[in-house]
Amino acid sequence: MKISYLNDAFFSRLETLALNLRANLSGFFGGKHLVKTYGQTVEFADYREYMLGDDIRRIDWNLYSRFEKYFLKLFTDERQMHVQIFIDCSASMGRDDPKKAAYTVGVAAALGFLAVHNMDKVSFHLMKEDRCENPSGTIVGKNTFFKAISDLENLQFCEDTDIAAAVTSCPNTGTSDGLSVIISDFFTESDWKKAVDFLSYKKRQVLLIQVLTPEELDPTYSGRVNLIDSESADLMDERNMKLRITRGMLQAYEEAMNDLIADAQSFCTSREAGFITVRTDLPIERMLFGELLKVGIME
Amino acid sequence: MNWGLQLGFLGLIGIGVLILIYVLKPNYQQKIISSTHVWKLSLRYRKKRIPINRFRNILIFLCQVLVITACAMIMAQPFIHEPNKDVISERIIIVDASASMQATHGGQTRFARAVNKAKELSTETLDRSGVVTVIFAGKEASVVCQEESAREKIESGLGELACTFGDSDIEGAMELAQSVLDDTLHLTGEKEYDTEVCLITDTNYIDHGKMEIYNVTERGGSTEGEWNAAILNASAELEENSYVFKIEVASYDRPTELKLHITINGANAFDDTMDPKPLEYRKTIHCDTDDLGKAVPVTVTLRTAEDTTVEGDDINVAAYDSVRFYLEDVNDSYSYDNDFFLYGGMRDSMKVQIWSSDTNSFFWQAMGVLQNNFRSTRDITYTQLKTEETPATEGYDLYIFEHKLPESLLTNGLPKDGVVIISDPDRTMEGLGINFGDRVRISETGEPLAPGEEHPLTQYIVPERIEISEYVRIVSSEGYSNLLYCGGDPVMLVRNEPDVKLVILPFSLNMSTFAARWDFAIFFYNLVHYFMPLTVEKYAFETDETVNFDCRSTLLTVSGPKGDIGTFEAFPGEISFSEPGTYTLSQTPISNIPMQTLIYVRAPEAESDIFREEAAIEDLIMQPKEAPSDKDLLVYFAAALVALLFLEWWLQSRENF
């Protein structure tokens, strides 16, 4: 039976959440996000000295009476954000584990819903091998969003993905206009860090979400096993491993996993990117509440 | 270190199996996971632990090898042989030699089989460098050889053994065996014995304790194997002056029809001139066994003149010389009970002459009592002569002269062929050896007698009850025994010599209460027993049974089936016979007429049951065998095995979950 988290109850819970964006933006206006440039809103932002040519209607006469100098009131400006969600469509993301696949789609859909709910633009980029596919285009408004979601539910996870190549090959990455989210398990030999560098260069706010199953975090199998990688072509693929899993091996695995996550976190911190690890046995809302709040994406 | 079961080392094959298990590629389970990326990363961390893991794996393998080795060694039953004192293998063999061991089957007697078995057991023991004690359980148990290790002596001893015709002294044999077990060397422990006591017998003992029983019977059922037809007993009783014969027969282990044949010799031959032909009788008797297979004895009563079921002469038998009972056409295993003889069918005759110068009834009345008392064993006839008749001085067994001694007595002298009683003599005579004195008158009422010398003639007589008012004083009485006294003077004297058997009563029965009392009859009863005893009390005995005999003369000769056995001069005496058959006791009493008494000796009736069963036999007290001195190492190996198993488990748990 196909597992899906996308139902009416799920989305109604998400409506109460807001997506906070910290990065400077330039681009479309009309969105709900306040930016650091000054605009025509009624929300006071700051003062500056009058310069020749400024609009005298913006002179603050209270300050003049106090200081006998001319100061202008400045007001905030709002721009529309573009949330780009990159989904790793490699086999490890759910070909043999439907729950992981559904969870990945659920996380992507949740983030997308929050974006369109805040009247932001969202686009879903499917990373397959070394390219990106954007079957639904840029989504604005909930109607278009739900249509795109129904396509996402039929997403197939297979083969391998080069995250860096796929992200950098994305044609409409945009600059300084939003959040880029990469959803993957980051179990790849390829250098996905280049993708983060690329997006940072594009002055986008970057969030990496690592989706892991409980078994990936804490394997329960042991003894003599022939581990078949879901992304391997056949049984003789070099990615497959014959192991005698002992307690020592499991300890080594745990260490390796912790180091992997720590390394990713440390890298993202250095790039001012967010990195969260989510377990598929946790409810998606809890993830959104907990982890995204931690990194400041949510308020 | 020694090994009790070296085949246990076959368990070491397990090591090979273990190595094979390690060599063969282990079966890996396939597991599809999302990615092996992290596992590959983990290899870097695992490498730090590889040396420790390798060492642990080697330790586990070594533990497993040692566990298998320990198991194999445990199966091989390790022990350390501690040198200690030598254990001597000993066998005490008791051979039953009772009459039933003479039963034959296949041309061999049970006793022969028993001796062969004893030889076999001896050989077995001697081959183990042991010693053998052989005990012969015959009439009296005896040790043939004790703790003997020389084969020749044992075989020689066994070869000299002969089976008896009587009971076996099993109890005595057990006591001898116990004495061997209780000897100093056994008790002090100077030597250690591994003793086995064996009884080779034909009796089935249900409970035989610590003893080994070797039964030599060859029981084969209703048509094969050993069996026995027996005449268990026979007797003759006089009923209304005619003998009635009772015969008890039985068949052991086989129901069968037995043909009983009876031959009566000398039937009704009351004197030596008569020589009647033997009377023959035949009767077929069906003998059966009960549900348990035990013989059911059948008693047959034969009345020669009345029994229509018996083939034979229709004649009353009032006396006989001998009766032979035998089973015709019987081919049984034990033939010593197929015959039975009865003797004593002819009563001893006793002729009494009574002569008195003043005839009275005292003596003939006493004779009447004697006739009644001895009617089954003696034919007593008496002749009471008139005073004017001349009494004989020969031809009688008992002469009674009262009052005046007859002239024939004075002329011919005392009779020498019988016992003479002289009562109230008027004078002495030559040959009497006695001098009479005056007649003494005591009183009108009389004086009670006093006992004199203790003598069989006065047995059961109470002198104080007898009173005499007048008697003749005895002046001298050389060679006489004074049995009763009156007033200090002897009033009953007896002289018993080979040619003189004389009783003097120097008083008149008319002047005493003697004849009026029972003591008078008792006196004559004692006199018959004393002077004319029966040679034997009965005429049928079992082997080894004591035969008490007496004699009227000074010499008794005993002869049997194999010739003369011995001569006896002391009486009463006793003898026992170890073989069945007819034995003759011969004597020539004072009457000078030779007497022969025949008796029949048979094998014990109990031996006829050749398949008898006993509930239990007395158990012997045997010293408990010392525990083997070998030190058993099983416990230590087992402890090592447990330790190794624990170590392996610990190593496995460290490595695995």
mmCIF file with all atom_site columns, all heavy atoms in Angstrom, chain B residues 5-22:
data_model
loop_
_atom_site.group_PDB
_atom_site.id
_atom_site.type_symbol
_atom_site.label_atom_id
_atom_site.label_alt_id
_atom_site.label_comp_id
_atom_site.label_asym_id
_atom_site.label_entity_id
_atom_site.label_seq_id
_atom_site.pdbx_PDB_ins_code
_atom_site.Cartn_x
_atom_site.Cartn_y
_atom_site.Cartn_z
_atom_site.occupancy
_atom_site.B_iso_or_equiv
_atom_site.pdbx_formal_charge
_atom_site.auth_seq_id
_atom_site.auth_comp_id
_atom_site.auth_asym_id
_atom_site.auth_atom_id
_atom_site.pdbx_PDB_model_num
ATOM 1   N N   . LEU B 1 5  ? 38.131 -46.496 28.245 1.00 0.00 ? 5  LEU B N   1
ATOM 2   C CA  . LEU B 1 5  ? 37.436 -46.794 26.993 1.00 0.00 ? 5  LEU B CA  1
ATOM 3   C C   . LEU B 1 5  ? 38.136 -46.024 25.896 1.00 0.00 ? 5  LEU B C   1
ATOM 4   O O   . LEU B 1 5  ? 37.787 -44.881 25.599 1.00 0.00 ? 5  LEU B O   1
ATOM 5   C CB  . LEU B 1 5  ? 35.952 -46.402 27.102 1.00 0.00 ? 5  LEU B CB  1
ATOM 6   C CG  . LEU B 1 5  ? 35.096 -46.747 25.886 1.00 0.00 ? 5  LEU B CG  1
ATOM 7   C CD1 . LEU B 1 5  ? 34.937 -48.246 25.774 1.00 0.00 ? 5  LEU B CD1 1
ATOM 8   C CD2 . LEU B 1 5  ? 33.716 -46.102 26.024 1.00 0.00 ? 5  LEU B CD2 1
ATOM 9   N N   . GLN B 1 6  ? 39.128 -46.622 25.308 1.00 0.00 ? 6  GLN B N   1
ATOM 10  C CA  . GLN B 1 6  ? 39.940 -45.880 24.342 1.00 0.00 ? 6  GLN B CA  1
ATOM 11  C C   . GLN B 1 6  ? 39.164 -45.512 23.087 1.00 0.00 ? 6  GLN B C   1
ATOM 12  O O   . GLN B 1 6  ? 39.550 -44.601 22.361 1.00 0.00 ? 6  GLN B O   1
ATOM 13  C CB  . GLN B 1 6  ? 41.177 -46.716 23.992 1.00 0.00 ? 6  GLN B CB  1
ATOM 14  C CG  . GLN B 1 6  ? 42.061 -46.842 25.219 1.00 0.00 ? 6  GLN B CG  1
ATOM 15  C CD  . GLN B 1 6  ? 43.374 -47.497 24.932 1.00 0.00 ? 6  GLN B CD  1
ATOM 16  O OE1 . GLN B 1 6  ? 43.577 -48.043 23.872 1.00 0.00 ? 6  GLN B OE1 1
ATOM 17  N NE2 . GLN B 1 6  ? 44.287 -47.451 25.864 1.00 0.00 ? 6  GLN B NE2 1
ATOM 18  N N   . LEU B 1 7  ? 38.077 -46.210 22.869 1.00 0.00 ? 7  LEU B N   1
ATOM 19  C CA  . LEU B 1 7  ? 37.238 -45.856 21.714 1.00 0.00 ? 7  LEU B CA  1
ATOM 20  C C   . LEU B 1 7  ? 36.686 -44.442 21.839 1.00 0.00 ? 7  LEU B C   1
ATOM 21  O O   . LEU B 1 7  ? 36.246 -43.847 20.858 1.00 0.00 ? 7  LEU B O   1
ATOM 22  C CB  . LEU B 1 7  ? 36.076 -46.846 21.602 1.00 0.00 ? 7  LEU B CB  1
ATOM 23  C CG  . LEU B 1 7  ? 36.378 -48.162 20.883 1.00 0.00 ? 7  LEU B CG  1
ATOM 24  C CD1 . LEU B 1 7  ? 35.158 -49.056 20.901 1.00 0.00 ? 7  LEU B CD1 1
ATOM 25  C CD2 . LEU B 1 7  ? 36.826 -47.906 19.447 1.00 0.00 ? 7  LEU B CD2 1
ATOM 26  N N   . GLY B 1 8  ? 36.708 -43.930 23.080 1.00 0.00 ? 8  GLY B N   1
ATOM 27  C CA  . GLY B 1 8  ? 36.198 -42.577 23.292 1.00 0.00 ? 8  GLY B CA  1
ATOM 28  C C   . GLY B 1 8  ? 36.970 -41.535 22.490 1.00 0.00 ? 8  GLY B C   1
ATOM 29  O O   . GLY B 1 8  ? 36.466 -40.461 22.177 1.00 0.00 ? 8  GLY B O   1
ATOM 30  N N   . PHE B 1 9  ? 38.211 -41.862 22.162 1.00 0.00 ? 9  PHE B N   1
ATOM 31  C CA  . PHE B 1 9  ? 39.009 -40.901 21.400 1.00 0.00 ? 9  PHE B CA  1
ATOM 32  C C   . PHE B 1 9  ? 38.485 -40.703 19.988 1.00 0.00 ? 9  PHE B C   1
ATOM 33  O O   . PHE B 1 9  ? 38.937 -39.809 19.280 1.00 0.00 ? 9  PHE B O   1
ATOM 34  C CB  . PHE B 1 9  ? 40.472 -41.362 21.344 1.00 0.00 ? 9  PHE B CB  1
ATOM 35  C CG  . PHE B 1 9  ? 41.206 -41.074 22.631 1.00 0.00 ? 9  PHE B CG  1
ATOM 36  C CD1 . PHE B 1 9  ? 41.629 -42.113 23.437 1.00 0.00 ? 9  PHE B CD1 1
ATOM 37  C CD2 . PHE B 1 9  ? 41.445 -39.779 23.031 1.00 0.00 ? 9  PHE B CD2 1
ATOM 38  C CE1 . PHE B 1 9  ? 42.299 -41.851 24.625 1.00 0.00 ? 9  PHE B CE1 1
ATOM 39  C CE2 . PHE B 1 9  ? 42.107 -39.507 24.209 1.00 0.00 ? 9  PHE B CE2 1
ATOM 40  C CZ  . PHE B 1 9  ? 42.538 -40.548 25.014 1.00 0.00 ? 9  PHE B CZ  1
ATOM 41  N N   . LEU B 1 10 ? 37.558 -41.532 19.600 1.00 0.00 ? 10 LEU B N   1
ATOM 42  C CA  . LEU B 1 10 ? 36.907 -41.299 18.303 1.00 0.00 ? 10 LEU B CA  1
ATOM 43  C C   . LEU B 1 10 ? 36.224 -39.939 18.296 1.00 0.00 ? 10 LEU B C   1
ATOM 44  O O   . LEU B 1 10 ? 35.951 -39.373 17.240 1.00 0.00 ? 10 LEU B O   1
ATOM 45  C CB  . LEU B 1 10 ? 35.887 -42.412 18.034 1.00 0.00 ? 10 LEU B CB  1
ATOM 46  C CG  . LEU B 1 10 ? 36.473 -43.752 17.604 1.00 0.00 ? 10 LEU B CG  1
ATOM 47  C CD1 . LEU B 1 10 ? 35.376 -44.795 17.510 1.00 0.00 ? 10 LEU B CD1 1
ATOM 48  C CD2 . LEU B 1 10 ? 37.188 -43.621 16.269 1.00 0.00 ? 10 LEU B CD2 1
ATOM 49  N N   . GLY B 1 11 ? 35.962 -39.424 19.487 1.00 0.00 ? 11 GLY B N   1
ATOM 50  C CA  . GLY B 1 11 ? 35.359 -38.098 19.579 1.00 0.00 ? 11 GLY B CA  1
ATOM 51  C C   . GLY B 1 11 ? 36.237 -37.008 18.995 1.00 0.00 ? 11 GLY B C   1
ATOM 52  O O   . GLY B 1 11 ? 35.768 -35.927 18.652 1.00 0.00 ? 11 GLY B O   1
ATOM 53  N N   . LEU B 1 12 ? 37.545 -37.301 18.865 1.00 0.00 ? 12 LEU B N   1
ATOM 54  C CA  . LEU B 1 12 ? 38.445 -36.293 18.288 1.00 0.00 ? 12 LEU B CA  1
ATOM 55  C C   . LEU B 1 12 ? 38.126 -36.020 16.819 1.00 0.00 ? 12 LEU B C   1
ATOM 56  O O   . LEU B 1 12 ? 38.589 -35.025 16.250 1.00 0.00 ? 12 LEU B O   1
ATOM 57  C CB  . LEU B 1 12 ? 39.902 -36.761 18.422 1.00 0.00 ? 12 LEU B CB  1
ATOM 58  C CG  . LEU B 1 12 ? 40.445 -36.757 19.860 1.00 0.00 ? 12 LEU B CG  1
ATOM 59  C CD1 . LEU B 1 12 ? 41.812 -37.406 19.911 1.00 0.00 ? 12 LEU B CD1 1
ATOM 60  C CD2 . LEU B 1 12 ? 40.510 -35.347 20.410 1.00 0.00 ? 12 LEU B CD2 1
ATOM 61  N N   . ILE B 1 13 ? 37.341 -36.904 16.257 1.00 0.00 ? 13 ILE B N   1
ATOM 62  C CA  . ILE B 1 13 ? 36.902 -36.661 14.874 1.00 0.00 ? 13 ILE B CA  1
ATOM 63  C C   . ILE B 1 13 ? 36.164 -35.328 14.805 1.00 0.00 ? 13 ILE B C   1
ATOM 64  O O   . ILE B 1 13 ? 36.138 -34.649 13.772 1.00 0.00 ? 13 ILE B O   1
ATOM 65  C CB  . ILE B 1 13 ? 36.000 -37.810 14.401 1.00 0.00 ? 13 ILE B CB  1
ATOM 66  C CG1 . ILE B 1 13 ? 36.836 -39.082 14.241 1.00 0.00 ? 13 ILE B CG1 1
ATOM 67  C CG2 . ILE B 1 13 ? 35.312 -37.483 13.079 1.00 0.00 ? 13 ILE B CG2 1
ATOM 68  C CD1 . ILE B 1 13 ? 36.012 -40.322 13.987 1.00 0.00 ? 13 ILE B CD1 1
ATOM 69  N N   . GLY B 1 14 ? 35.577 -34.953 15.946 1.00 0.00 ? 14 GLY B N   1
ATOM 70  C CA  . GLY B 1 14 ? 34.863 -33.682 15.998 1.00 0.00 ? 14 GLY B CA  1
ATOM 71  C C   . GLY B 1 14 ? 35.754 -32.498 15.649 1.00 0.00 ? 14 GLY B C   1
ATOM 72  O O   . GLY B 1 14 ? 35.272 -31.484 15.136 1.00 0.00 ? 14 GLY B O   1
ATOM 73  N N   . ILE B 1 15 ? 37.049 -32.616 15.926 1.00 0.00 ? 15 ILE B N   1
ATOM 74  C CA  . ILE B 1 15 ? 37.954 -31.505 15.597 1.00 0.00 ? 15 ILE B CA  1
ATOM 75  C C   . ILE B 1 15 ? 38.009 -31.339 14.081 1.00 0.00 ? 15 ILE B C   1
ATOM 76  O O   . ILE B 1 15 ? 37.997 -30.218 13.558 1.00 0.00 ? 15 ILE B O   1
ATOM 77  C CB  . ILE B 1 15 ? 39.359 -31.757 16.175 1.00 0.00 ? 15 ILE B CB  1
ATOM 78  C CG1 . ILE B 1 15 ? 39.279 -31.772 17.707 1.00 0.00 ? 15 ILE B CG1 1
ATOM 79  C CG2 . ILE B 1 15 ? 40.326 -30.692 15.697 1.00 0.00 ? 15 ILE B CG2 1
ATOM 80  C CD1 . ILE B 1 15 ? 40.579 -32.107 18.380 1.00 0.00 ? 15 ILE B CD1 1
ATOM 81  N N   . GLY B 1 16 ? 38.069 -32.446 13.405 1.00 0.00 ? 16 GLY B N   1
ATOM 82  C CA  . GLY B 1 16 ? 38.083 -32.402 11.942 1.00 0.00 ? 16 GLY B CA  1
ATOM 83  C C   . GLY B 1 16 ? 36.811 -31.775 11.404 1.00 0.00 ? 16 GLY B C   1
ATOM 84  O O   . GLY B 1 16 ? 36.842 -30.954 10.466 1.00 0.00 ? 16 GLY B O   1
ATOM 85  N N   . VAL B 1 17 ? 35.708 -32.145 12.032 1.00 0.00 ? 17 VAL B N   1
ATOM 86  C CA  . VAL B 1 17 ? 34.429 -31.579 11.609 1.00 0.00 ? 17 VAL B CA  1
ATOM 87  C C   . VAL B 1 17 ? 34.422 -30.077 11.866 1.00 0.00 ? 17 VAL B C   1
ATOM 88  O O   . VAL B 1 17 ? 33.955 -29.290 11.044 1.00 0.00 ? 17 VAL B O   1
ATOM 89  C CB  . VAL B 1 17 ? 33.266 -32.270 12.364 1.00 0.00 ? 17 VAL B CB  1
ATOM 90  C CG1 . VAL B 1 17 ? 31.951 -31.602 12.063 1.00 0.00 ? 17 VAL B CG1 1
ATOM 91  C CG2 . VAL B 1 17 ? 33.213 -33.748 12.018 1.00 0.00 ? 17 VAL B CG2 1
ATOM 92  N N   . LEU B 1 18 ? 34.996 -29.699 12.999 1.00 0.00 ? 18 LEU B N   1
ATOM 93  C CA  . LEU B 1 18 ? 35.052 -28.278 13.343 1.00 0.00 ? 18 LEU B CA  1
ATOM 94  C C   . LEU B 1 18 ? 35.877 -27.511 12.315 1.00 0.00 ? 18 LEU B C   1
ATOM 95  O O   . LEU B 1 18 ? 35.471 -26.441 11.844 1.00 0.00 ? 18 LEU B O   1
ATOM 96  C CB  . LEU B 1 18 ? 35.670 -28.124 14.737 1.00 0.00 ? 18 LEU B CB  1
ATOM 97  C CG  . LEU B 1 18 ? 35.846 -26.695 15.241 1.00 0.00 ? 18 LEU B CG  1
ATOM 98  C CD1 . LEU B 1 18 ? 34.497 -26.098 15.596 1.00 0.00 ? 18 LEU B CD1 1
ATOM 99  C CD2 . LEU B 1 18 ? 36.755 -26.669 16.444 1.00 0.00 ? 18 LEU B CD2 1
ATOM 100 N N   . ILE B 1 19 ? 37.023 -28.081 11.951 1.00 0.00 ? 19 ILE B N   1
ATOM 101 C CA  . ILE B 1 19 ? 37.891 -27.415 10.958 1.00 0.00 ? 19 ILE B CA  1
ATOM 102 C C   . ILE B 1 19 ? 37.166 -27.310 9.626  1.00 0.00 ? 19 ILE B C   1
ATOM 103 O O   . ILE B 1 19 ? 37.218 -26.286 8.939  1.00 0.00 ? 19 ILE B O   1
ATOM 104 C CB  . ILE B 1 19 ? 39.220 -28.179 10.803 1.00 0.00 ? 19 ILE B CB  1
ATOM 105 C CG1 . ILE B 1 19 ? 40.016 -28.070 12.108 1.00 0.00 ? 19 ILE B CG1 1
ATOM 106 C CG2 . ILE B 1 19 ? 40.025 -27.646 9.626  1.00 0.00 ? 19 ILE B CG2 1
ATOM 107 C CD1 . ILE B 1 19 ? 41.234 -28.960 12.176 1.00 0.00 ? 19 ILE B CD1 1
ATOM 108 N N   . LEU B 1 20 ? 36.446 -28.368 9.299  1.00 0.00 ? 20 LEU B N   1
ATOM 109 C CA  . LEU B 1 20 ? 35.681 -28.366 8.048  1.00 0.00 ? 20 LEU B CA  1
ATOM 110 C C   . LEU B 1 20 ? 34.649 -27.259 8.053  1.00 0.00 ? 20 LEU B C   1
ATOM 111 O O   . LEU B 1 20 ? 34.434 -26.583 7.041  1.00 0.00 ? 20 LEU B O   1
ATOM 112 C CB  . LEU B 1 20 ? 34.989 -29.736 7.892  1.00 0.00 ? 20 LEU B CB  1
ATOM 113 C CG  . LEU B 1 20 ? 34.541 -30.084 6.467  1.00 0.00 ? 20 LEU B CG  1
ATOM 114 C CD1 . LEU B 1 20 ? 35.757 -30.257 5.591  1.00 0.00 ? 20 LEU B CD1 1
ATOM 115 C CD2 . LEU B 1 20 ? 33.721 -31.369 6.485  1.00 0.00 ? 20 LEU B CD2 1
ATOM 116 N N   . ILE B 1 21 ? 34.030 -27.064 9.196  1.00 0.00 ? 21 ILE B N   1
ATOM 117 C CA  . ILE B 1 21 ? 33.025 -26.010 9.312  1.00 0.00 ? 21 ILE B CA  1
ATOM 118 C C   . ILE B 1 21 ? 33.669 -24.650 9.101  1.00 0.00 ? 21 ILE B C   1
ATOM 119 O O   . ILE B 1 21 ? 33.108 -23.778 8.434  1.00 0.00 ? 21 ILE B O   1
ATOM 120 C CB  . ILE B 1 21 ? 32.322 -26.079 10.683 1.00 0.00 ? 21 ILE B CB  1
ATOM 121 C CG1 . ILE B 1 21 ? 31.431 -27.333 10.753 1.00 0.00 ? 21 ILE B CG1 1
ATOM 122 C CG2 . ILE B 1 21 ? 31.491 -24.843 10.956 1.00 0.00 ? 21 ILE B CG2 1
ATOM 123 C CD1 . ILE B 1 21 ? 30.915 -27.652 12.130 1.00 0.00 ? 21 ILE B CD1 1
ATOM 124 N N   . TYR B 1 22 ? 34.870 -24.486 9.671  1.00 0.00 ? 22 TYR B N   1
ATOM 125 C CA  . TYR B 1 22 ? 35.552 -23.206 9.497  1.00 0.00 ? 22 TYR B CA  1
ATOM 126 C C   . TYR B 1 22 ? 36.010 -23.003 8.056  1.00 0.00 ? 22 TYR B C   1
ATOM 127 O O   . TYR B 1 22 ? 35.997 -21.885 7.534  1.00 0.00 ? 22 TYR B O   1
ATOM 128 C CB  . TYR B 1 22 ? 36.773 -23.133 10.431 1.00 0.00 ? 22 TYR B CB  1
ATOM 129 C CG  . TYR B 1 22 ? 36.453 -22.584 11.788 1.00 0.00 ? 22 TYR B CG  1
ATOM 130 C CD1 . TYR B 1 22 ? 36.101 -23.431 12.829 1.00 0.00 ? 22 TYR B CD1 1
ATOM 131 C CD2 . TYR B 1 22 ? 36.497 -21.217 12.034 1.00 0.00 ? 22 TYR B CD2 1
ATOM 132 C CE1 . TYR B 1 22 ? 35.805 -22.935 14.078 1.00 0.00 ? 22 TYR B CE1 1
ATOM 133 C CE2 . TYR B 1 22 ? 36.205 -20.707 13.286 1.00 0.00 ? 22 TYR B CE2 1
ATOM 134 C CZ  . TYR B 1 22 ? 35.853 -21.573 14.309 1.00 0.00 ? 22 TYR B CZ  1
ATOM 135 O OH  . TYR B 1 22 ? 35.556 -21.084 15.543 1.00 0.00 ? 22 TYR B OH  1
#
